[in-house]
Amino acid sequence: MRFSSINERLAGLGGAKWEVHARAKEMARAGREVIRLTIGEPDVPTPERLKDAAYAAMKAGRTGYSDGRGEPGLRAALAEKYSKNRGRVFHPDQVMCFPGTQTALYAVMMAVAEAGAEVLVGDPMYATYEGVIRATGAAMVPVPLRPENGFRMAAVDVAPLITPRTRAILLTTPHNPTGAILTRADIAALGRLAVEHDLWIISDEVYEDLVFEGSEFVSPLSDPDLAERVVAVSSISKSHAAPGFRSGWCVGSLEFTANLLALSETMLFGNQPFIADMTEQAVREGSDVAGGMRQRFAARADLLAARLERETALRVHRPEAGMFAMVDIAATGLDGESYAFDLLEKTGVAVMPGASFGKTLDTWVRLALTVEDAPFAQAIDRIVAHANARRAKIA
């Protein structure tokens, strides 16, 4: 049978990146005690009030077809939120709703990129970005995010990679996997490049509500000079600990959302009305779980950094936001993948090889900060012992 070319473009993406995680699950099923620091999900359940709101909406009959842009009440709530938080006025028609950030990002990318185009994206990157870009037929062009620059995308690294085929810059702020946040100066410099070369800026901002104390989140949507070329995507998956509800959105110019509507309606008609009602309540009332997650994740990152840097030769990049911390394991003499498998087999601690997120992180690993305090501390004990055993072996 014949298949479309998109299958070839996406072949080989995804599975191999998660081999350590898959092996950890196999070991756990076989009865081995495994502490999994591979996958990041909120460390609390979805609040009961949100589940009750979705149930009440279903009972009230909110189970029919949705508006193609998304339910009016939710779009109005999001327009009010973005008007308040971005310092500009947003109209509800500048918002479109989707089942999660991933779907929103896919639709947005399909609207701005195509075969023959190029999209610039930071390396390291979230695991699905390459597939989202390739699905359009465009080529992904990695931009190195340098550890010495705090893993923030720098205009000086972007500029040499821009060609006549470049169509968009994909940003993640706060960043997954590194937890870095773009500064106002970073965004201004990238914005100048976008204006000069007539590029779209797509900003994945799903970790906005998980910014640690002392750090500041800035969105490119806040810059009026970039208003016509910035599209942001987000959801309630992280902020409200509701990843399974698949409720996300994009925010852009009126021209952008008008052009996106036909594509969106070809894919789906907004998000489910009962989930939209629950999301509207979540957006209007704010999150009662994000603050606790911020504090716990930051405290675990601090503990990890303090212990590894005091007791081993490993080095930690302290995140400014999000659910993960990056550890430089170059001192072990192993690359990230070899280290992750060695750590798993010898100690039962599972971490993600940095190379799963891009070439920049070949000698790094990513640790999820979402495990409860006691097993997280136990995992650190095992990482310390493993690192020191490895150091003694090298010596």
Side-chain angles (χ1 to χ4, degrees), residues 181-184 211-212 214-218 320:
I181 301 176
L182 293 174
T183 66
R184 293 182 186 277
V211 173
F212 301 161
S215 298
E216 179 189 25
F217 167 75
V218 181
E320 298 176 272

Side-chain angles (χ1 to χ4, degrees), residues 74-75 77-83 86 88-98 104-105 108 200-205 208 219-222 226-235 248-254 256-257 260:
L74 173 55
R75 291 192 295 110
L78 287 166
E80 292 171 17
K81 171 188 175 180
Y82 277 79
S83 296
R86 301 299 188 264
R88 293 174 45 219
V89 176
F90 290 85
H91 188 277
D93 284 351
Q94 291 181 252
V95 180
M96 294 188 69
C97 299
F98 296 89
L105 181 60
V108 169
W200 291 97
I201 294 177
I202 303 169
S203 184
D204 182 345
E205 301 174 350
E208 173 185 353
S219 170
L221 276 176
S222 298
L226 303 177
E228 298 304 311
R229 64 182 67 253
V230 174
V231 185
V233 296
S234 194
S235 73
W249 55 84
C250 75
V251 181
S253 68
L254 287 171
F256 177 83
T257 54
L260 185 62

Side-chain angles (χ1 to χ4, degrees), residues 21-39:
H21 178 66
R23 173 60 182 152
K25 292 198 295 184
E26 289 177 3
M27 291 169 61
R29 284 194 297 267
R32 175 87 178 269
E33 182 198 6
V34 177
I35 303 175
R36 280 184 277 178
L37 306 180
T38 46
I39 300 297

Side-chain angles (χ1 to χ4, degrees), residues 164-196:
R165 295 181 297 278
T166 307
R167 190 69 59 84
I169 304 172
L170 174 55
L171 306 178
T172 320
T173 185
H175 189 259
N176 178 4
T178 68
I181 301 176
L182 293 174
T183 66
R184 293 182 186 277
D186 293 331
I187 291 172
L190 292 167
R192 287 191 292 271
L193 286 177
V195 171
E196 179 183 353

Side-chain angles (χ1 to χ4, degrees), residues 112-229:
V112 304
E114 60 192 346
E118 295 175 346
V119 176
L120 303 177
V121 60
D123 177 353
M125 69 193 74
Y126 178 55
T128 68
Y129 284 176
E130 184 174 3
V132 168
I133 294 168
R134 281 197 195 179
T136 70
M140 183 188 75
V141 179
V143 180
L145 305 182
R146 305 182 188 282
E148 59 269 26
N149 193 45
F151 290 110
R152 304 192 319 273
M153 183 179 284
V156 68
D157 293 322
V158 172
L161 301 176
I162 296 175
T163 75
R165 295 181 297 278
T166 307
R167 190 69 59 84
I169 304 172
L170 174 55
L171 306 178
T172 320
T173 185
H175 189 259
N176 178 4
T178 68
I181 301 176
L182 293 174
T183 66
R184 293 182 186 277
D186 293 331
I187 291 172
L190 292 167
R192 287 191 292 271
L193 286 177
V195 171
E196 179 183 353
H197 296 278
D198 192 23
L199 306 179
W200 291 97
I201 294 177
I202 303 169
S203 184
D204 182 345
E205 301 174 350
V206 73
Y207 286 101
E208 173 185 353
D209 288 333
L210 295 183
V211 173
F212 301 161
E213 184 177 356
S215 298
E216 179 189 25
F217 167 75
V218 181
S219 170
L221 276 176
S222 298
D223 188 341
D225 293 334
L226 303 177
E228 298 304 311
R229 64 182 67 253

